């Protein structure tokens, strides 16, 4: 396979390079206007306060607590209703859907989950013309203001009324099984245009004053290979959001619009202050640069698709002249030919701010405190985003394909973690890649079409205080599909579902492990995969090593054993063959030669690290006990000697990040790491 040179990203005209700016040059950069304001100009107001600061500061704190708790409860109730009444495996069982509540200034009030945006609805349907019982709908990536990343994510929005006026919005979007396009599942890995990816719907009124638009529903279901599932899922989402709207109307009726809106402002003000005081204060003033890469786009040969962040922290310039962050994506690669692009440059990067901000919670004083911090619209004023000109991975031009945009927005979580790690001496987690789509499709026992897909997780990165977590999912509350369900519904058997041994990157704190799943086909079918990190592994930090990459093998150990690409639409599988899926392990944190012997032997006893890897990666000689690894022991003297030898053989100028062997394979210049990997 030939490595293709990366096409240079369009010049943003900024002052940035790989070398951080200092002194007057940094001051000039901070004060400069962005070369290209994020996204397109909007013709509607959004993001403003609902009440004065004085009124928000005088609202009863008990009422604020009640309002905040009610919002979280309603959001959870909406999601529970969708989970219980939807039909498709992706939504009902894998839980790949989200709900959110937004005020009439389009600000996200809830923080337990990310969500789409209300901006495109208000842009096309003025608030003053909305009626009770209206349900708005869209999935058009380019018309969504950045809130929808690919067409299978269909979004429902319901306005909430009090005293005859719109006071807020309930919204839900879910990843639907099939909405048309070039292949089952509507995620063609070789798409070169969004027109190949399925039915594209700009904002429309799906229900008008309580009456469903049955013509629109008929068009949508007619374009789906799974019309019954799609119809049931849409009904579940609309009904759940309408129920949530009724619950919120009750809140406004009970306390009054003025009081509830003052509570909304207080909730967001509190969030802004917490992040300003507890999070941004941990980042030293200055500028930091780092980058990471997607490895393939489904169309071109594997290459380094750069995603770069230049992070600038200032102690002034934010709300009330407090601290702020400038996240600049200059240096991000050109728009890909294949479907890994993401439309991020709309509404000032509003969606990306809330998508990336959870990474900053790792700077909290403790893991317990980190878990208490929600991400709502309160973080938006603290962050300024600067984008390159149109035509990059984050600023694609229509009709560029986007169905695998997770390769970009998931990688950006790691890029932000990495650039912050450079600022805080590594006190951030190592890398993780916790989402990919795998599945099979074909004819079932009765000759009917079936489609099974799931969002398998992977290991999270080691942290400065703890190992990474095993088999986590980036989508909150999502999960692998239950074996009992899949075996009863689809023509295959799940012969193994467990941890992928040695997949977590070695470190003082080990990376979490990924899945290993074996599926034996009972009928001929086809396998599909939309996954990254099959060449470029999850990186380790501050001496930690990279985890193991994603891998799919068909008929392992059999006569027709073959490894398939991580991007595949229709790999044939014969009845009787096994599909072995191994998902990514998280990167390690810190020097693995400093991991205590007791923790290494415990990992061996638990089956997370093999005896061979204990010696090779950790310098620990482990001997299996008479009854197996459960009674394994460590030879401390031999291990001390081995570690001393490994230390003397180590290079003196190691990079701060370890990417594994995949980077050198794709870089093509003999370098084992890019310039930005050294402090």
């Amino acid at each position: 396979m030939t490595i293709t040179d990366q096409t240079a990203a369009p010049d943003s005209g900024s002052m940035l390079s790989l070398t951080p700016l200092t002194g007057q040059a940094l001051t000039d950069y901070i004060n400069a206007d962005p070369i290209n304001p994020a996204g397109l100009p909007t013709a509607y107001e959004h993001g403003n306060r609902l009440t004065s600061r004085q009124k928000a500061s005088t609202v009863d704190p008990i009422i604020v607590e009640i309002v905040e708790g009610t919002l979280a409860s309603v959001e959870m109730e909406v999601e529970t209703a969708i989970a219980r009444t939807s039909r498709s495996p992706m939504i009902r069982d894998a839980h790949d859907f989200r709900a959110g509540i937004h005020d009439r200034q389009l600000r996200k009030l809830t923080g337990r989950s990310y969500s789409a945006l209300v901006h495109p609805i208000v842009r096309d349907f003025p608030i003053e013309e909305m009626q009770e019982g209206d349900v708005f709908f869209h999935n058009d990536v380019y018309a969504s203001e950045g809130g929808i990343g690919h067409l299978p994510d269909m979004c429902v929005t319901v306005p909430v009324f009090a005293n005859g006026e719109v006071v807020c919005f309930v919204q839900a979007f879910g990843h639907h099984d099939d909405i048309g396009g070039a292949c089952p599942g509507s995620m063609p890995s070789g798409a070169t245009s969004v027109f190949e990816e399925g039915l594209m719907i700009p904002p429309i009124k799906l229900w008008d004053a309580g009456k469903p638009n049955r013509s629109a529903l008929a068009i949508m279901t007619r374009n789906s290979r799974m019309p019954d599932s799609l119809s049931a899922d849409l009904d579940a989402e609309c009904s759940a959001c309408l129920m949530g709207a009724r619950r919120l109307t009750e809140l406004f009726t009970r306390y009054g619009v003025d009081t509830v809106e003052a509570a909304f402002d207080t909730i967001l003000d509190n969030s802004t202050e917490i992040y300003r005081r507890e999070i941004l204060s941990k980042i030293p003033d200055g500028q930091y640069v780092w980058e990471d890469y997607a490895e393939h786009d489904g169309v071109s040969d594997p290459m380094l698709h750069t995603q770069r962040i230049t992070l600038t922290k200032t102690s002034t310039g934010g709300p009330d002249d407090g601290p702020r962050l400038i996240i600049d994506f200059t240096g991000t690669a050109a728009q890909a030919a294949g479907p890994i692009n993401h439309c991020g440059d709309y509404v000032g990067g509003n969606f990306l701010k809330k998508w990336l901000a959870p990474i900053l919670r790792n700077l909290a004083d403790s893991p317990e405190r980190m878990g208490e911090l929600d991400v709502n619209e309160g973080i938006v004023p603290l962050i300024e985003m600067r984008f390159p000109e149109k035509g990059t991975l984050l600023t694609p031009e229509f009709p560029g394909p986007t169905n695998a945009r997770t390769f970009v927005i998931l990688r950006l979580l790691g890029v932000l973690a990495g650039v912050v790690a450079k600022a805080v001496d590594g006190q951030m987690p190592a890398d993780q890649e916790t989402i990919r789509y795998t599945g099979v499709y074909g004819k079932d026992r009765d000759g009917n079409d079936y489609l099974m897909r799931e969002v398998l997780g992977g290991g999270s990165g080691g942290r400065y205080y703890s190992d990474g977590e095993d088999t986590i999912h980036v989508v909150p509350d999502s999960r692998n599909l239950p074996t009992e369900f899949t075996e009863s519904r689809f023509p295959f058997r799940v012969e193994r579902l467990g941890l992928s041994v040695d997949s977590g990157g070695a470190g003082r704190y080990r990376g979490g492990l990924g899945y290993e799943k074996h599926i034996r086909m009972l009928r001929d079918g086809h396998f599909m995969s939309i996954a990254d990190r099959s060449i470029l592994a999850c990186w380790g930090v501050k001496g930690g090593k990279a985890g193991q990459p994603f891998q799919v093998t068909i008929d392992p150990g059999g006569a027709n054993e073959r490894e398939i690409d991580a991007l595949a639409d229709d790999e044939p599988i014969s009845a009787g063959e096994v599909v072995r899926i191994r998902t990514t392990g998280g990167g390690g944190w810190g020097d693995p030669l400093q991991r205590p012997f007791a923790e290494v032997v415990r990992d061996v006893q638990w089956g997370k690290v093999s005896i061979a890897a204990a010696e090779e990666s950790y310098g620990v000689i482990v001997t299996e006990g008479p009854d197996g690894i459960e009674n394994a022991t460590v030879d401390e003297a031999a291990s001390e000697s081995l570690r001393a030898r490994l230390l003397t053989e180590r290079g003196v100028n190691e990079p701060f990040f370890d990417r594994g062997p995949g980077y050198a394979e794709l870089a093509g210049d003999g370098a084992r790491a890019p310039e930005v990997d050294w402090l």
Side-chain angles (χ1 to χ4, degrees):
M1 191 172 286
T2 305
I3 305 301
T4 305
D5 291 336
Q6 178 178 309
T7 304
D11 182 4
S12 70
S14 79
M15 303 146 65
L16 299 178
S17 67
L18 288 178
T19 303
L21 299 173
T22 59
Q24 187 60 45
L26 177 59
T27 300
D28 292 344
Y29 167 79
I30 292 169
N31 293 331
D33 291 329
I35 296 301
N36 178 38
L40 302 175
T42 53
Y44 51 93
E45 287 293 322
H46 60 88
N48 297 322
R49 299 182 62 85
L50 298 167
T51 61
S52 67
R53 288 186 180 275
Q54 181 179 5
K55 183 172 181 58
S57 66
T58 59
V59 66
D60 187 337
I62 295 177
I63 291 180
V64 173
E65 288 289 328
I66 292 172
V67 170
E68 189 168 20
T70 301
L71 293 173
S73 176
V74 170
E75 181 182 72
M76 189 174 298
E77 188 175 0
V78 170
E79 292 190 356
T80 300
I82 293 172
R84 290 183 174 178
T85 58
S86 57
R87 179 168 176 175
S88 68
M90 185 64 74
I91 292 180
R92 183 186 64 193
D93 300 288
H95 282 222
D96 192 358
F97 65 91
R98 297 294 96 204
I101 300 173
H102 309 253
D103 69 13
R104 60 182 171 87
Q105 285 296 335
L106 320 187
R107 302 178 303 172
K108 185 174 184 292
L109 299 168
T110 46
R112 62 176 293 272
S113 175
Y114 62 89
S115 64
L117 303 177
V118 183
H119 300 68
I121 304 302
V122 175
R123 178 196 65 212
D124 294 354
F125 296 90
I127 287 180
E128 58 272 14
E129 297 178 8
M130 295 178 181
Q131 306 174 75
E132 292 194 53
D134 284 352
V135 178
F136 300 94
F137 179 88
H138 72 291
N139 77 329
D140 187 325
V141 172
Y142 286 89
S144 76
E145 303 282 334
I148 295 296
H150 62 177
L151 297 181
D153 284 349
M154 292 184 157
C155 185
V156 169
T157 305
V158 172
V160 179
F161 284 80
N163 302 329
E165 296 185 344
V166 174
V167 287
C168 58
F169 297 88
V170 180
Q171 189 175 70
F173 78 95
H175 185 152
H176 293 261
D177 266 350
D178 189 280
I179 47 99
C183 72
S186 309
M187 295 182 67
S189 62
T192 58
S193 162
V194 72
F195 294 112
E196 301 169 58
E197 298 178 321
L199 188 65
M200 185 166 29
I201 305 168
I204 64 171
K205 189 180 288 189
L206 190 61
W207 288 36
D208 190 349
K211 296 181 180 179
N213 183 337
R214 304 207 178 274
S215 296
L217 289 167
I219 292 170
M220 285 189 270
T221 54
R222 179 61 174 167
N223 278 271
S224 173
R225 297 171 178 86
M226 301 290 161
D228 293 341
S229 291
L230 178 59
S231 177
D233 289 347
L234 289 175
D235 185 62
E237 290 159 354
C238 292
S239 299
C241 287
L242 287 165
M243 177 272 295
R246 292 193 297 271
R247 297 284 187 272
L248 289 170
T249 295
E250 293 169 3
L251 176 69
F252 283 92
T253 300
R254 185 178 306 125
Y255 294 105
V257 172
D258 290 345
T259 298
V260 173
E261 290 195 331
F264 287 173
D265 278 335
T266 301
I267 290 167
L268 300 186
D269 289 344
N270 290 344
S271 182
T272 301
E273 178 57 28
I274 288 170
Y275 275 85
R276 174 167 48 200
R277 184 180 65 250
E278 299 185 27
I279 303 300
L280 267 60
S281 63
K282 303 288 181 62
I283 304 175
D285 283 11
Q287 192 170 83
Y288 313 91
V289 186
W290 201 62
E291 66 187 33
D292 204 357
Y293 316 94
E295 62 196 27
H296 51 185
D297 68 358
V299 175
S300 311
D301 288 335
M303 58 189 276
L304 299 176
H305 295 270
T306 303
Q307 291 143 71
R308 183 182 301 164
I309 287 178
T310 298
L311 180 73
T312 307
K313 157 68 188 315
T314 66
S315 294
T316 58
D320 299 324
D321 203 31
R324 69 165 170 162
L325 295 180
I326 301 174
I327 297 177
D328 195 322
F329 299 103
T330 296
T332 292
Q335 179 172 332
I340 67 172
N341 306 292
H342 176 71
C343 301
D345 57 328
Y346 293 86
V347 201
N350 185 287
F351 174 83
L352 276 181
K353 290 180 183 181
K354 289 173 284 191
W355 170 261
L356 294 175
I359 286 294
L360 300 174
R361 295 184 299 185
N362 287 282
L363 295 173
D365 288 338
S366 69
E368 294 76 18
R369 181 56 176 159
M370 180 178 70
E372 295 172 352
L373 300 183
D374 287 338
V375 172
N376 56 33
E377 204 79 15
I379 62 94
V380 169
L382 298 169
I383 301 172
E384 176 189 339
M385 287 191 164
R386 299 186 182 183
F387 292 87
E389 297 285 357
K390 283 290 185 182
T392 72
L393 291 173
L394 278 175
T395 60
E397 295 185 277
F398 182 82
T402 68
N403 75 75
R405 92 294 185 206
T406 52
F407 293 11
V408 169
I409 62 173
L410 282 177
R411 190 71 68 255
L412 286 178
L413 292 170
V415 181
L416 181 58
V419 75
V420 174
K422 293 181 76 170
V424 297
D425 192 31
Q427 302 300 292
M428 291 288 285
D431 191 33
Q432 64 182 38
E433 180 76 3
T434 57
I435 188 171
R436 74 277 304 148
Y437 303 91
T438 60
V440 294
Y441 64 92
K443 298 286 186 180
D444 64 17
R445 302 173 185 88
D446 300 320
N448 298 318
D449 290 330
Y450 77 89
L451 169 65
M452 187 287 296
R453 285 187 305 173
E454 62 182 329
V455 187
L456 281 177
S460 70
R463 298 154 286 185
Y464 65 90
Y465 55 86
S466 177
D467 293 344
E469 301 290 340
D470 302 325
T471 59
I472 68 165
H473 296 243
V474 74
V475 179
D477 302 324
S478 63
R479 62 205 69 178
N480 62 73
L481 295 181
T483 297
E484 297 80 2
F485 162 74
T486 55
E487 289 186 339
S488 67
R489 185 166 179 178
F490 305 117
F492 59 74
R493 286 200 308 266
V494 178
E495 296 192 343
R496 174 176 176 174
L497 178 61
L499 300 178
S500 179
V501 181
D502 292 333
S503 57
R508 166 59 190 90
Y509 295 106
R510 175 183 42 76
L513 273 60
Y515 281 102
E516 180 165 332
K517 185 167 187 174
H518 296 191
I519 299 173
R520 185 176 297 276
M521 301 298 296
L522 302 180
R523 297 177 62 89
D524 292 351
H526 296 269
F527 178 80
M528 62 169 56
S529 171
I530 299 291
D532 203 24
R533 291 298 198 204
S534 63
I535 302 172
L536 298 169
C538 296
W539 44 264
V541 66
K542 204 175 182 182
K545 302 303 179 183
Q548 291 297 311
F550 176 79
Q551 181 189 54
V552 175
T553 305
I554 295 180
D555 197 28
N560 196 26
E561 178 176 343
R562 59 203 185 274
E563 188 171 330
I564 69 168
D565 287 340
L567 280 170
D569 292 338
D570 56 0
E571 180 69 23
I573 330 169
S574 299
E577 288 188 324
V578 169
V579 181
R580 184 183 69 197
I581 304 166
R582 290 174 173 167
T583 67
T584 52
W589 192 97
D591 188 349
L593 299 185
Q594 294 180 5
R595 188 168 178 85
F597 294 157
E599 295 182 17
V600 176
V601 74
R602 181 198 64 191
D603 284 343
V604 172
Q605 293 169 344
W606 287 355
K608 294 188 174 186
V609 174
S610 67
I611 288 177
E615 179 176 347
E616 180 180 349
S617 301
Y618 293 96
V620 179
I621 307 298
V622 177
T623 303
E624 186 173 327
D627 300 324
I629 62 172
E630 293 83 358
N631 302 114
T633 59
V634 59
D635 185 333
E636 295 194 9
S639 299
E640 292 283 9
S641 176
L642 175 58
R643 283 188 165 185
R645 177 170 63 81
L646 293 174
L647 277 172
T648 61
E649 295 172 354
R650 180 180 291 173
V652 295
N653 185 25
E654 294 294 310
F656 197 62
F657 302 88
D658 178 72
R659 299 178 185 267
Y663 176 82
E665 178 183 340
L666 294 184
D669 58 3
R672 61 185 176 125
E675 177 185 339
V676 292
D677 280 4
W678 279 266
L679 292 181

